[in-house]
Structures are given as structure tokens and as C-alpha cells.
């Protein structure tokens, strides 16, 4: 099938999904972009209007269309609160794919999404070769968030405060794991995600400690590719499909009950997007995905909903901690009470709620790379709410949110640590 035919078919399929939008504007109260800019074109309703005329607009000015569609965090706030049940996230992902097909991808994105991220061995080798040189570029800031800055790359990265790369990635220190289930009678395939493998290895290690404590069998590969979410968000269906097929080949022949991740974006990708955007894959992959997708579950939900971990008393420890709701965790997966229960399992912490806990932090994955000025405004508001809570620690269930929170707190010189909820729970367990 040629590209023009594919585009025509994609546009027709998109029309069917757009019909449900009543243009009521209810999304105004929930869209973080609109609440930041107050521009109608940044509102979900405005983008829907753009997509309705996509065929004409894409011919008139494809770059402008691409820019408008990129001004969305894909947080799912509008979809979770839409009275008409419009699948806005699906619509915007499909529209981005149409525009990317029409415009073509940049050489950098092609290299990242079609060569590096689908090939973890190649990606790992590249990181290993470049590791000795990172100290020439990165400057350690000695802040509670363990961030670094890059003065030499300021024209490209600005004043970003970034988490350090792990001294060694998880796949190098842990390798392949395949342990039998214990008293829990449960076995999981652990999918740490890119950030859990290469940056927040402490989060992944906390997950492994929890699995061991609860006698949960674990399958862990040292050759996982990215879940595909970055490619999908950029409209690169080809790169997305390559990553999905690589991971499915690893997961499909193993025996386990759940696919567990500490990253809500990975969970949503595996549980929802692998199946929704696998039309072009061979039938054997589609069948395997349909069997795998229902097994995907967030680590917080596994512990609370499956293992029934729950606090017996209200913890009132010395360390105040507040909780930030990850958009994908709460709005897409419906996981909100569970992370709070895990925090309360640690008697050393006292959970205090921040204002607007469920408001987007402004990361949005690649959104913070392309629209850092807007990401910064959203992140500063989140930082202000964290500080107003009086907390010494801010916890969340998403590594990408951890990166954004660390950046915002570090740039304000705030003495607040950033932790994953599973780290706080794991701290309460015996060694």
C-alpha cells in the first residue's frame, strides 16, 4: 500500500473518532496547556477543530499543523474528564502519525527511534563508550535531587538540572533473572523501562527488593527495548512497531502472571497502545500482544490490589512527604489510592497532601524537550505546591515526573528530595 493510500485511510478512520466531540469546552477546566497559555488553539477543543480539517491544513501548512499538534502533553486529562467519552489521546496520536508520514522524520529522530531504541545492545554500547566523557560535559551540583547541569551545552539544553546517568545500567549489574514463584504463588515479568534501566536504577532495585520480600517470582531480561511511547508520541509508527516487536519476542514465550513496571507510561503503552497501534504488524505479533496487554500492571497496583498490602495504622513519622499524581498513572490507569497506601506503610513518613496534586507537572515526555518554556511554567507551579505543603520529600509513581520535579526543585535550590513511591515502601522492609 503506497503512502498516499495509507494517509487517506488514516484520515477516514480519524473522522469516525472525531464525530463524538460536541465542542462543549468542558476540557477547559482540565487541559494544562490551556490553563497555562489561555489560547483556544492549545485547548483540546481547538486541536480537535484542527484535526477535523487535517487534510486541507496539512497541504496548506504542514509545519504549522505539526507545531500545533506538538503543543499537547498527551497527559489524558481531557479524555479522563470528557462527558462524551471522546478518545482524544488516540486522536492526537493518530493525527501526529499522519503528519509525520506526510512531512517525514528528522534524521535525529530516525536514528533514535529506528536504530537506537529498538536495539538495546547498540544503545548500551553507545552509552558505555560515551560514559568516560560525560564528566567533561556534566557538572555535579551536589543538590538533594542528585542533579547535574551542562554549562557547555547551555545553548542546546538551557539551564536544565538533569538526573545523573547511573554508574552502571541495571541490565549490566543484574543481568537476566528468572526465579520461581514463592509463597505468593505469583510470578511477574519485570519491565523497568529506559529510565529504570539507565538512570533510576535505585527505583528498579527497590522493585526487586519488594519482589524478593513478598516471594514473587521474577523474569527480567537484560535486552528489553524501549516500550515505544517516545516514538508513538512523535508520530513514528515504524519505530514504535520495531520496539514493540523486539519486546514481544522476549515476553511472549515466558510464563508469568503479570508484566510489572514502575513507570506508568510504560504500563499504558503495553496495556493499551501496543494493541491499539499494531494494525500493521503480522498476525502472530497481534495475537501475542492481545495476550500480553491485559497482564500489564503498575507496581503500586500489584502490591495493593493483588497482594493486598495496606497500612494497618495511620503513619505519623518524622519525615513529611507529599504525593504528586502522575497523569498516566491516575488518569489512564486509575491508580491513585494505591501509591498513598504504600507511602503510609512506612512508619518513618507522614503523608501531607499538596494542592493540585493531580495537576500535570509539565513533563509530557518529549514535550519538555521541544517546549521547555511552557514545561517550565507548569513545573514551577507544581514546585510551588510542593513547597507550600511543607514536605521534605515529594513522591510520585513515574520516573519522567521524577525528572521534572528534580529539575524544578534544583533550579529553585529547594532542599526537597524526590522519590518513587516504591522506594519509600521498600525502605520499610528488612534487608
Amino acid at each position: 500500500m503506497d503512502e498516499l493510500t495509507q494517509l487517506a485511510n488514516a484520515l477516514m478512520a480519524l473522522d469516525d473518532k472525531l464525530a463524538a466531540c460536541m465542542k462543549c469546552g468542558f476540557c477547559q477546566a482540565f487541559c494544562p496547556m490551556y490553563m497555562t497559555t489561555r489560547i483556544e488553539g492549545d485547548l483540546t477543543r481547538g486541536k480537535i477543530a484542527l484535526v477535523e480539517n487535517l487534510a486541507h491544513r496539512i497541504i496548506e501548512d504542514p509545519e504549522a499543523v505539526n507545531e500545533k499538534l506538538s503543543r499537547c502533553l498527551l497527559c489524558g486529562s481531557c479524555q479522563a474528564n470528557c462527558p462524551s467519552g471522546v478518545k482524544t489521546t488516540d486522536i492526537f496520536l493518530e493525527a501526529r502519525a499522519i503528519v509525520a508520514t506526510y512531512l517525514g522524520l528528522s534524521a535525529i529522530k530516525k536514528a533514535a527511534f529506528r536504530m537506537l531504541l529498538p536495539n538495546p545492545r547498540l544503545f548500551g554500547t553507545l552509552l558505555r563508550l560515551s560514559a568516560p566523557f560525560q564528566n567533561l560535559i556534566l557538572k555535579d551540583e551536589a543538590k538533594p535531587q542528585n542533579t547535574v547541569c551542562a554549562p557547555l551545552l547551555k545553548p542546546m539544553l538551557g539551564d536544565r538540572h538533569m538526573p545523573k546517568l547511573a554508574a552502571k545500567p541495571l541490565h549490566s549489574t543484574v543481568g537476566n533473572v528468572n526465579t520461581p514463584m514463592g509463597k505468593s504463588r505469583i510470578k511477574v515479568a519485570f519491565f523497568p523501562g529506559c529510565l529504570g534501566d539507565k538512570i533510576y536504577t535505585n527505583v528498579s532495585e527497590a522493585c526487586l527488593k519488594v519482589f524478593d520480600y513478598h516471594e514473587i517470582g521474577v523474569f527480567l531480561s537484560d535486552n528489553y527495548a524501549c516500550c515505544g511511547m517516545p516514538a508513538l508520541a512523535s508520530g513514528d509508527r515504524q519505530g514504535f512497531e520495531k520496539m514493540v516487536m523486539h519486546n514481544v519476542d522476549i515476553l511472549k514465550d515466558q510464563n508469568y502472571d503479570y508484566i510489572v513496571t514502575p513507570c506508568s507510561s510504560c504500563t499504558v503503552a503495553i496495556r493499551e497502545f501496543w494493541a491499539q497501534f499494531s494494525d500493521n504488524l503480522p498476525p502472530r505479533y497481534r495475537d501475542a500482544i492481545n495476550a500480553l496487554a491485559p497482564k500489564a500492571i503498575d507496581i503500586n497496583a500489584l502490591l495493593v490490589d493483588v497482594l493486598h498490602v495496606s497500612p494497618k495504622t495511620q503513619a505519623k513519622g518524622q519525615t513529611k512527604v507529599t504525593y504528586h499524581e502522575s497523569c498516566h498513572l491516575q488518569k489512564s490507569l486509575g491508580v491513585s489510592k494505591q501509591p498513598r497506601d504504600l507511602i503510609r506503610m512506612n512508619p518513618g513518613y507522614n503523608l501531607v497532601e499538596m494542592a493540585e496534586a493531580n495537576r500535570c507537572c509539565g513533563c509530557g515526555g518529549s514535550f519538555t524537550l521541544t517546549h521547555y518554556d511552557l514545561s517550565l511554567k507548569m513545573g514551577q507551579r507544581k514546585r510551588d505546591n510542593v513547597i507550600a505543603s511543607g514536605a521534605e520529600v515529594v513522591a510520585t509513581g513515574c520516573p519522567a515526573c521524577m525528572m521534572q520535579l528534580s529539575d524544578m526543585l534544583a533550579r529553585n535550590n529547594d532542599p526537597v528530595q524526590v522519590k518513587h513511591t516504591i522506594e519509600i515502601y521498600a525502605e520499610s522492609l528488612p534487608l
Side-chain angles (χ1 to χ4, degrees), residues 404-421:
Q404 176 78 341
L405 291 166
S406 294
D407 184 11
M408 297 303 110
L409 293 165
R411 71 186 298 116
N412 285 278
N413 294 308
D414 297 316
V416 180
Q417 289 183 290
V418 180
K419 294 189 177 185
H420 195 287
T421 51

Side-chain angles (χ1 to χ4, degrees), residues 157-161 367-377 404 407-408 411:
L157 297 177
D159 293 319
R160 294 176 190 273
H161 302 256
F367 177 86
T368 189
L369 298 176
T370 56
H371 297 90
Y372 189 56
D373 56 335
L374 294 169
S375 178
L376 190 60
K377 289 180 182 178
Q404 176 78 341
D407 184 11
M408 297 303 110
R411 71 186 298 116

Side-chain angles (χ1 to χ4, degrees), residues 194-315:
C194 296
L195 295 179
D197 180 61
K198 296 168 180 63
I199 294 178
Y200 293 117
T201 54
N202 50 315
V203 173
S204 297
E205 288 162 359
C207 292
L208 294 173
K209 178 182 178 181
V210 169
F211 295 147
D212 182 63
Y213 176 80
H214 288 286
E215 298 191 52
I216 297 171
V218 177
F219 166 75
L220 169 62
S221 171
D222 67 352
N223 193 33
Y224 286 129
C226 172
C227 71
M229 193 64 196
L232 188 62
S234 295
D236 183 17
R237 289 285 296 273
Q238 183 178 330
F240 170 77
E241 289 163 359
K242 289 182 73 171
M243 296 176 215
V244 171
M245 287 190 290
H246 179 98
N247 289 321
V248 169
D249 282 335
I250 292 172
L251 292 166
K252 63 183 176 62
D253 296 325
Q254 299 296 324
N255 188 22
Y256 49 82
D257 304 291
Y258 300 97
I259 302 172
V260 179
T261 88
C263 173
S264 51
S265 297
C266 289
T267 311
V268 172
I270 297 169
R271 188 172 183 85
E272 298 179 10
F273 296 143
W274 282 14
Q276 289 178 20
F277 296 95
S278 63
D279 293 349
N280 296 330
L281 297 183
R284 63 189 179 90
Y285 282 105
R286 295 201 301 270
D287 292 343
I289 288 169
N290 290 333
L292 293 173
K295 294 183 178 183
I297 188 171
D298 172 74
I299 182 73
N300 297 277
L302 175 83
L303 292 171
V304 176
D305 298 340
V306 178
L307 291 181
H308 307 296
V309 170
S310 63
K312 301 296 185 289
T313 58
Q314 182 71 29

Side-chain angles (χ1 to χ4, degrees), residues 45 53 262 329 344:
R45 178 176 61 184
N53 296 292
L329 193 58
R344 293 189 178 103

